[in-house]
Amino acid sequence: MGRSRNARRARAVGAAVVEPVDGGLAELVPDRDRARAWTLFIDGAPQSHVDLDDPAYLDFEYQRRLGHVVDLAAPPGRPVHAVHLGGGAFTLARYVAATRPRSTQQVVERDAALVQLVRRELPLAANARVRVRSADARAGLAKVPDGWADLVVADVFSGARTPAHLTSTEFLDEVRRALRPDGVYAANLADGPPLAHLRGQIATAAARFGELALIADPAVLRGRRFGNAVLVAADQPLPVAELTRRAASDPHPARVEHGRTLTDFTGGAPAVTDAAAVASPAPPPSVFR
C-alpha cells in the first residue's frame, strides 16, 4: 500500500484492466504520462506502480525509499539473493533485476489470482531470475534456506492492513534465520496518529537486530497524518549518512531516524510477540481520495 503522484490521475485515463482476485477487486490503470506504465489498485487502494519500459523507475514514495535500501545493500551492480514478502505487481523485484542483473529472487504472494493477472498483463522480463510462490508470507519465508538471503523485504497488506502474524518477534526470528549474517531487512509499515503500531514495530525490530533506521515523511513521524515508513534493520552498521542524503533529495523528501533518537521515538513500547500481535491499523478513507 502506498501513495503515488500518479495514483489519482491514473483513474481518469481509461482502458483499465479490472478483475476480481483473491484479495478483492484488482484494477490495472495505465499511467497517461508513461507509455507502458501501470498502477495496481486493490479495492481502491493503490498497491504498486510498474513501468515495463523502465523497471528502475519507482513512482511510489515508499518504494523509492526501499529502492535506496536495495542500492546500498551491496556494492553497485553486484547480484544479490533477495526475498520479497508481498508481491503486488513485483515492482521491487523488477527493480532489483534491472539494477543488479543476475540476482536471484523469490517473491511470496498469497493472492494466486493476482499473481496470474500480473504475470499476464505485466510480464516479467525474460532474463529476470524471479521465482514467484503463491503462499502466506510467513509460510513462504519458512521455506527459504538458512542464511540464503542478502535482503528480505516485507511489504504485505491484506485489506490495507499488515497481518498480525507478520509483526512479531517470532516472525523476525524467521527473517534472521533466512538472512546472511551481513544481510539487511526492510519493511514497509503504515500507521497514523498516535503511531502506536509504528513504535511497537521499531521496538520489535530492536529486540532482534543490532542496527536500525527509519525512513519517513516528517509529517508522518510527527503524527500529523497517516502514511508509510520504511524500517531498515541489520546486525552490521547501516549506511545511515547515504540513506539520509538520498531520502532528503527525493521528490517527496523524507527524514532518517536512527540511534538514540529512534530508541526514544518508541516511547518505551514493548516488543510484539505472536501472543499479543494485532494487524496494523486501517488507513482512514481520506488517504486514497
Side-chain angles (χ1 to χ4, degrees):
M1 183 193 70
R3 295 174 61 203
S4 164
R5 67 179 180 82
N6 294 313
R8 295 177 184 174
R9 72 188 185 199
R11 289 181 173 277
V13 175
V17 178
V18 182
E19 285 189 15
V21 294
D22 299 339
L25 187 67
E27 299 174 78
L28 285 172
V29 181
D31 181 342
R32 68 184 181 189
D33 291 337
R34 302 179 75 89
R36 297 181 68 226
W38 301 77
T39 300
L40 168 67
F41 297 84
I42 304 290
D43 285 342
Q47 298 288 331
S48 303
H49 180 277
V50 169
D51 189 332
L52 297 177
D53 289 332
D54 184 9
Y57 173 77
L58 299 175
D59 186 71
F60 284 17
E61 297 170 19
Y62 85 86
Q63 288 182 333
R64 289 181 64 89
R65 294 163 192 165
L66 287 172
H68 299 327
V69 177
V70 170
D71 292 344
L72 298 173
R78 195 190 83 183
V80 296
H81 286 179
V83 177
H84 304 268
L85 305 178
F90 314 149
T91 304
L92 260 294
R94 298 173 199 267
Y95 181 84
V96 172
T99 60
R100 297 184 176 277
R102 302 183 309 283
S103 291
T104 302
Q105 303 185 74
Q106 298 186 39
V107 174
V108 184
E109 170 55 60
R110 183 172 186 170
D111 194 326
L114 177 62
V115 170
Q116 292 178 356
L117 171 64
V118 171
R119 281 190 176 280
R120 186 186 75 233
E121 298 294 335
L122 309 175
L124 289 160
N127 61 347
R129 300 169 61 179
V130 179
R131 177 186 179 186
V132 182
R133 178 184 287 124
S134 295
D136 170 79
R138 189 156 157 180
L141 178 63
K143 295 183 181 298
V144 176
D146 292 1
W148 182 85
D150 298 291
L151 178 68
V152 174
V153 178
D155 184 15
V156 184
F157 288 88
S158 176
R161 303 177 71 184
T162 300
H165 70 297
L166 304 180
T167 67
S168 67
T169 52
E170 290 90 340
F171 165 67
L172 290 186
D173 286 338
E174 274 297 303
V175 171
R176 283 180 58 89
R177 181 199 58 76
L179 280 172
R180 294 179 177 177
D182 59 349
V184 177
Y185 171 64
N188 175 33
L189 308 174
D191 199 8
L195 300 178
H197 174 71
L198 184 57
R199 299 181 203 279
Q201 288 304 285
I202 296 167
T204 304
R208 290 297 183 266
F209 289 95
E211 300 287 337
L212 301 180
L214 187 74
I215 314 170
D217 185 312
V220 173
L221 291 176
R222 295 187 188 112
R224 294 182 179 175
R225 69 169 178 84
F226 193 98
N228 298 84
V230 169
L231 178 64
V232 190
D235 283 325
Q236 305 294 325
L238 293 167
V240 172
E242 184 61 16
L243 280 174
T244 300
R245 186 191 69 78
R246 292 181 181 221
S249 63
D250 277 342
H252 298 278
R255 199 166 79 208
V256 176
E257 299 289 5
H258 64 100
R260 180 61 182 271
T261 303
L262 189 55
T263 301
D264 290 346
F265 178 79
T266 66
V272 176
T273 64
D274 276 346
V278 296
S280 67
S286 60
V287 168
F288 304 127
R289 289 176 185 166

